[in-house]
């Protein structure tokens, strides 16, 4: 730097002249916002979400994905979401979270599905059942929903077919036999309640019973299916 200074360079000759437009001159009087005019504003409290409650609900919903929640947390969740629809819509319950909540907190999953059954997008939650693993919990929850909601007959038939296919695709024999028993009991329950038309999946049911004839509950299902054959024709 000292060497540069010793050259005695006139840096002024390298300066750039910037164009600076002349600003417009305002001749009229400026209109200022008068805060006094805001004195009569009224807030619509019906649009406001209680964020203290919302944060508690979101925390509990998050917890339902990792562990079984306590009775106190369950009561708080039921109380808040039963009475405040805005909390329900913003609580963080999504289709992606449904499968894990079913396994960790089946009663919470049941409660949430019943609460949102009349909201837009409920069909997307039903679609989860024919996209996720078939387990004892999903079968029990589906049966509960059938008893409380008017599920389309075509959807029930589709789900039963999905359960049969899922059983067929399990590679581990002991796990497969265990699930086959659960599915057999579930289908018997649906048959007895006339949840679907037997003839629509009669061939699939017969094939399922023959494939797993050595599994205890399947023999009961087979007898029930055979007893309904005349009505199915």
């Amino acid at each position: 730097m000292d060497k540069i200074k010793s050259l005695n360079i006139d840096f002024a000759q390298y300066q750039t002249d910037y164009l600076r437009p002349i600003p417009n001159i305002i001749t009229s009087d400026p209109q200022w916002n008068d805060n006094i005019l805001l004195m009569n504003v009224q807030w619509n409290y019906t649009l406001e979400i209680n964020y203290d409650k919302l944060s508690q609900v979101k925390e509990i919903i998050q917890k339902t994905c990792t562990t079984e929640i306590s009775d106190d947390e369950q009561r708080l969740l039921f109380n808040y979401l039963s009475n405040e629809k805005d909390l329900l819509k913003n609580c963080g319950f999504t289709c992606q979270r449904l499968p894990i909540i079913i396994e960790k907190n089946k009663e919470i999953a049941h409660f949430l599905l019943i609460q949102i059954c009349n909201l837009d997008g409920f069909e997307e939650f039903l679609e989860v059942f024919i996209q996720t693993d078939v387990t004892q919990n999903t079968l029990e929850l589906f049966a509960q929903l059938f008893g409380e909601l008017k599920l389309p007959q075509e959807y029930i038939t589709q789900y039963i077919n999905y359960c049969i296919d899922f059983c067929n695709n399990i590679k581990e024999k002991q796990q497969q036999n265990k699930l086959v028993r659960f599915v057999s009991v579930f289908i018997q329950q649906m048959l007895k309640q006339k949840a679907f038309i037997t003839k629509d999946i009669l061939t699939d049911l017969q094939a399922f019973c023959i494939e797993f004839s050595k599994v205890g509950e399947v023999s009961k299902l087979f007898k029930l299916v055979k007893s309904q054959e005349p009505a199915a024709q």
Side-chain angles (χ1 to χ4, degrees):
M1 192 67 183
D2 293 337
K3 291 182 179 180
I4 295 176
K5 290 181 178 179
S6 65
L7 296 177
N8 295 322
I9 299 176
D10 183 10
F11 289 100
Q13 62 181 317
Y14 297 104
Q15 292 181 353
T16 302
D17 292 331
Y18 295 98
L19 295 178
R20 296 179 174 84
I22 300 175
N24 294 328
I25 299 176
I26 300 176
T27 57
S28 59
D29 294 333
Q31 300 294 319
W32 299 99
N33 288 327
D34 193 345
N35 290 333
I36 297 177
L37 298 177
L38 302 178
M39 294 294 291
N40 294 323
V41 171
Q42 295 182 356
W43 185 260
N44 185 350
Y45 289 96
T46 62
L47 300 178
E48 185 177 359
I49 296 177
N50 186 317
Y51 286 96
D52 288 336
K53 290 183 179 180
L54 182 61
S55 62
Q56 292 180 63
V57 168
K58 281 189 171 183
E59 183 178 347
I60 296 174
I61 293 294
Q62 179 68 35
K63 189 175 179 180
T64 61
C65 298
T66 58
T67 186
E68 185 176 355
I69 64 174
S70 67
D71 291 340
D72 288 340
E73 290 171 323
Q74 180 172 310
R75 280 192 293 270
L76 185 144
L77 196 67
F78 286 6
N79 180 45
Y80 284 175
L81 298 185
S82 295
N83 300 313
E84 301 189 39
K85 294 302 181 184
D86 287 334
L87 287 180
L88 182 63
K89 294 176 182 178
N90 296 277
C91 69
F93 178 51
T94 63
C95 294
Q96 292 73 24
R97 286 180 167 177
L98 177 57
I100 188 64
I101 296 178
I102 291 175
E103 297 308 312
K104 299 289 185 180
N105 293 274
K106 181 168 65 75
E107 291 306 316
I108 301 300
H110 170 253
F111 166 77
L112 291 171
L113 289 172
I114 293 298
Q115 292 300 308
I116 67 169
C117 67
N118 293 319
L119 299 181
D120 293 337
F122 178 64
E123 293 78 8
E124 296 176 10
F125 285 87
L126 292 181
E127 286 293 315
V128 172
F129 283 89
I130 55 177
Q131 296 170 355
T132 191
D133 291 351
V134 177
T135 66
Q136 181 180 3
N137 276 8
T138 57
L139 293 169
E140 290 176 353
L141 180 55
F142 192 96
Q144 282 183 286
L145 294 177
F146 169 75
E148 299 175 58
L149 305 176
K150 292 183 178 180
L151 299 179
Q153 200 169 65
E154 297 80 7
Y155 171 68
I156 297 172
T157 302
Q158 184 182 9
Y159 183 64
I160 292 175
N161 270 324
Y162 177 77
C163 291
I164 292 173
D165 290 339
F166 193 89
C167 288
N168 289 327
N169 292 327
I170 297 177
K171 302 302 181 183
E172 205 282 313
K173 199 65 177 178
Q174 186 175 357
Q175 181 185 357
Q176 185 184 53
N177 289 341
K178 181 179 179 180
L179 185 60
V180 166
R181 285 196 295 271
F182 291 140
V183 170
S184 297
V185 172
F186 169 73
I187 297 177
Q188 289 179 66
Q189 184 179 358
M190 294 291 103
L191 276 171
K192 291 175 182 177
Q193 298 183 67
K194 303 185 184 303
F196 62 96
I197 301 174
T198 310
K199 68 177 182 180
D200 290 345
I201 54 172
L202 181 59
T203 302
D204 294 324
L205 286 175
Q206 290 175 335
F208 176 77
C209 292
I210 294 172
E211 176 68 24
F212 301 106
S213 58
K214 294 182 180 180
V215 180
E217 290 296 333
V218 175
S219 60
K220 297 179 182 179
L221 173 61
F222 185 70
K223 290 178 181 179
L224 184 59
V225 171
K226 292 292 288 184
S227 69
Q228 297 197 18
E229 278 188 24
Q233 294 176 352

